[in-house]
Amino acid sequence: MRNPLRPTRRVHAHCDIPCGVYDPEQARIEAESCYKIIEKYTASSDELLRARCIVVKEERAELTKHHIDVLWHDYFKPEHLEKFPDLHETCWKASKAASKVKQTTDIAAAKELLGLIDRIDEMWKATGGPEKTRLQAVAA
Amino acid sequence: MSTERGRLRPLSWFLLRSLALGTGVAAVAYARRWLDVVEVQGRSMAPALLPGEWLLVERRTYAHRPPRVGEIVLAADPRDPSRELIKRVTSVDGRAKMIQLAGDAPDSSTDSRTFGAISVSDVRWRVIARYWPAERIARL
């Protein structure tokens, strides 16, 4: 029987788990895929390959956007914003650039996206990201 | 005579008992307007509060005065209002009527560092005590 003293209301001493692992490299790799795919798309006249390029590029661009958003929402904290006043602007632009890469086959958009991710990477590094959010050594 | 008494007694007993029962139900119903019990999920309030612990909470105090630094409160998650957070008050800005919340375990807490200050009016419940597990019964 259910314990009548047991509360039905749950309150969250919440964390987004968190695994606490963040790295802009994740976004960078997906964005590089998009860049390369656009190159291949432009160079090819094979309709099947071109169609596949579009499908995979949209998928990768969406992943890029997701990784950018996770860094933006979860990794960066108000003290980071104080240090880098352009933090919000950069993440916002990067998210938008990822959308543009998803929608178009414009190589310039893919280049812009990579540049913005690199800027995010600088901020991640300057706020101690590599030491704080990546495993330094994994015990066997 | 005895028959009449026999009839009267059950009636008075019935009345008395329903009165007592009614008073009890009304008292509980009245108390429930400002008292409740909740179960903790997550580790962000460790070691003060651990997952699975049962707490007594009340919402009378904050009808009269704002929360104070150090108190443990319940607040709607600004990012998902259907979820209730349990956190400690770390600062109160009486003028702006905003408060900052934080978990006791910063490494596993998503709190005001992520979602910023929240409005005093969003905090209604104060944690009074833990009543389970028995060996950790305590006023909070």
Side-chain angles (χ1 to χ4, degrees):
Chain A
M1 206 188 91
R2 196 179 176 283
N3 185 336
L5 288 175
R6 181 175 187 166
T8 50
R9 186 170 156 198
R10 304 238 162 115
V11 292
H12 298 258
H14 174 72
C15 61
D16 288 332
I17 303 288
C19 68
V21 175
Y22 304 99
D23 194 331
E25 194 63 22
Q26 236 174 332
R28 170 90 201 185
I29 288 172
E30 303 301 348
E32 283 183 16
S33 285
C34 293
Y35 185 89
K36 284 278 196 182
I37 288 170
I38 293 173
E39 272 186 352
K40 283 190 194 297
Y41 172 89
T42 316
S44 172
S45 54
D46 176 350
E47 281 311 310
L48 178 63
L49 177 75
R50 283 165 67 91
R52 289 190 59 223
C53 283
I54 299 289
V55 172
V56 177
K57 176 182 63 72
E58 298 210 355
E59 211 178 271
R60 303 286 126 175
E62 190 60 43
L63 282 171
T64 313
K65 193 170 166 177
H66 168 76
H67 292 313
I68 293 166
D69 287 346
V70 168
L71 284 161
W72 190 6
H73 303 153
D74 299 345
Y75 170 70
F76 288 116
K77 304 276 188 300
E79 56 265 33
H80 302 160
L81 181 63
E82 275 169 34
K83 200 167 169 190
F84 295 105
D86 64 328
L87 193 154
H88 283 333
E89 183 78 15
T90 308
C91 293
W92 185 40
K93 277 186 180 161
S95 256
K96 284 197 170 298
S99 297
K100 197 166 177 205
V101 169
K102 187 178 170 186
Q103 290 159 6
T104 68
T105 53
D106 180 0
I107 195 90
K111 228 176 238 172
E112 193 201 344
L113 174 59
L114 287 171
L116 288 161
I117 292 171
D118 288 345
R119 174 70 188 130
I120 293 173
D121 188 60
E122 280 169 31
M123 296 190 278
W124 173 75
K125 285 188 174 129
T127 50
E131 305 80 51
K132 283 186 201 154
T133 71
R134 294 302 306 271
L135 283 185
Q136 300 309 309
V138 180
Chain B
M1 204 60 180
S2 65
T3 346
E4 269 181 25
R5 262 192 179 173
R7 253 185 222 158
L8 271 173
R9 214 187 230 160
L11 184 65
S12 64
W13 270 107
F14 172 73
L15 285 173
L16 208 66
R17 283 177 64 172
S18 36
L19 188 71
L21 195 68
T23 313
V25 168
V28 168
Y30 177 74
R32 278 300 297 261
R33 287 166 42 165
W34 53 274
L35 267 184
D36 202 0
V37 289
V38 298
E39 181 177 324
V40 179
Q41 290 194 317
R43 305 200 63 91
S44 81
M45 287 302 288
L49 303 175
L50 299 175
E53 293 186 337
W54 300 347
L55 312 174
L56 188 64
V57 297
E58 61 86 22
R59 62 169 165 188
R60 253 193 170 172
T61 307
Y62 299 154
H64 305 296
R65 65 158 177 86
R68 288 178 189 148
V69 171
E71 289 175 339
I72 304 174
V73 300
L74 310 186
D77 186 338
R79 300 167 311 162
D80 175 6
S82 68
R83 183 160 64 179
E84 248 180 325
L85 301 179
I86 179 163
K87 298 283 170 191
R88 200 181 289 278
V89 178
T90 52
S91 85
V92 180
D93 181 344
R95 245 196 196 173
K97 297 199 185 301
M98 299 295 278
I99 63 172
Q100 303 256 1
L101 303 177
D104 286 358
D107 285 346
S108 48
S109 176
T110 305
D111 46 42
S112 286
R113 291 170 303 162
T114 300
F115 51 70
I118 66 164
S119 169
V120 166
S121 61
D122 289 339
V123 178
R124 297 210 176 78
W125 295 89
R126 185 172 73 107
V127 177
I128 319 175
R130 169 175 41 227
Y131 67 95
W132 192 260
E135 64 274 16
R136 286 194 23 107
I137 286 179
R139 231 186 119 185
L140 293 163

